[in-house]
Amino acid sequence: MSGGPKDISDVAKRRFDLRGKVVIITGGGKGIGKIYAREFARAGARVVAADIDGEGAEQVAAEIVAEGYEAVGLRADITDAAAVEAMAKLALDRFGAIDVLVNNASLMSVLPRRDWMEIPVEEWDRVMTVNLRGMFLCCHAVAPTMKARKYGKIVNISSSRVWEGTPLRLHYTTSKAGVVGFTRALARELGPHGITVNSVSPGATMSETQVASSSGNYLATRVEGRAIERAQIPEDLVGAVMFLSTPASDFMTGQTMNVDGGKAMH
Ligand SMILES: NC(=O)c1ccc[n+]([C@@H]2O[C@H](COP(=O)([O-])OP(=O)(O)OC[C@H]3O[C@@H](n4cnc5c(N)ncnc54)[C@H](O)[C@@H]3O)[C@@H](O)[C@H]2O)c1
């Protein structure tokens, strides 16, 4: 008799299965969103990468397709309701459903780190518009089809800055705290429809864009105080976002999972 492991049951297979799931990833054209797009596709999901950087999004989709997986990329400014509706329509037309929305796009790496008194009010407003209105509009665009199917998964990206009170991008930190409140309240609104709404708060992560916008050893100093004392890379976030996108997390909603190597123990 073979001493190999017993084949796992169908229920166990489905619990973490992303094959065939249609996943919209905003900000999927570069940075961490690009890694989510690639890794979801490699797990068998059909990916819609949407970004204000349309070329970046199309490039990410082309690379995924070249690997033999399924994806489409498009330009979408998440602050523009019509563009976000078009994003949802593209997902439905191309793939026939929307199972997962990952609200990852935000204004972050483009923001200078500076004293809060020096933040121009127009920049404050723009950060709130992209990071909060954008997420609201994206949820608005996917909710009808998720409600009709009585199932859906929404994952909003916050930041560990919220738990640490990290200064020098006060508008950004404030907006990411808004993501947590939004996640909690929307979870209650959408729970009766079988839709979960959760959030992930990444620690300072070496995304290509964050590295490019950080001077000196800023990111290295952010490693201090972690239980796992090393630099965080985008791949460190993939498991948590995937977990919140699969049936394994179907009874978990309104929560924020902190993924920062154990610095803030939220
Ligand atoms: N890198 C980090 O250290 C870190 C830490 C905590 C949280 N986060 C969060 O993780 C997510 C990804 O981070 P990142 O490092 O890749 O950041 P990033 O700033 O490089 O990426 C944001 C992405 O959003 C896109 N975007 C910006 N405005 C948009 C708009 N109006 N419409 C559509 N797309 C728009 C950008 O083009 C970019 O592709 C963000 O939500 C960020 O706030 C990052």
Side-chain angles (χ1 to χ4, degrees), residues 107-113 123 127 131 168-169 171-172 213:
L107 282 188
M108 182 210 61
S109 57
V110 294
L111 302 171
R113 292 188 183 88
E123 189 178 290
V127 169
N131 296 6
L168 301 181
R169 278 175 178 164
H171 41 4
Y172 172 74
S213 70

Side-chain angles (χ1 to χ4, degrees), residues 70-211:
E70 286 185 86
V72 60
L74 82 155
R75 181 183 190 281
D77 176 351
I78 57 165
T79 68
D80 174 353
V84 164
E85 291 293 337
M87 171 185 81
K89 186 170 182 310
L90 176 72
L92 290 171
D93 289 349
R94 181 68 72 93
F95 297 130
I98 299 171
D99 298 288
V100 180
L101 166 68
V102 181
N103 278 313
N104 165 78
S106 94
L107 282 188
M108 182 210 61
S109 57
V110 294
L111 302 171
R113 292 188 183 88
R114 57 184 163 202
D115 185 279
W116 72 281
M117 289 289 280
E118 288 163 16
I119 296 175
V121 70
E122 298 75 23
E123 189 178 290
W124 176 278
D125 287 348
R126 181 69 190 153
V127 169
M128 297 305 157
T129 303
V130 175
N131 296 6
L132 294 173
R133 184 172 88 184
M135 187 176 57
F136 163 72
L137 290 177
C138 290
C139 292
H140 227 264
V142 304
T145 180
M146 287 183 174
K147 279 184 183 174
R149 295 170 71 216
K150 299 185 170 43
Y151 191 77
K153 313 288 283 182
I154 296 176
V155 185
N156 302 320
I157 305 300
S158 177
S159 167
S160 70
R161 279 179 158 254
V162 172
W163 320 125
E164 293 177 36
T166 312
L168 301 181
R169 278 175 178 164
L170 186 71
H171 41 4
Y172 172 74
T173 303
T174 306
S175 73
K176 290 295 178 177
V179 173
V180 175
F182 176 96
T183 297
R184 291 179 176 187
L186 190 63
R188 291 198 193 278
E189 302 242 10
L190 291 179
H193 301 280
I195 302 166
T196 63
V197 188
N198 290 293
S199 169
V200 169
S201 60
T205 304
M206 311 278 278
S207 63
E208 54 187 359
T209 42
Q210 172 85 305
V211 169

Side-chain angles (χ1 to χ4, degrees), residues 208-229:
E208 54 187 359
T209 42
Q210 172 85 305
V211 169
S213 70
S214 301
S215 54
N217 65 346
Y218 177 79
L219 283 171
T221 62
R222 304 278 282 119
V223 168
E224 260 167 52
R226 286 182 177 163
I228 302 167
E229 229 177 53

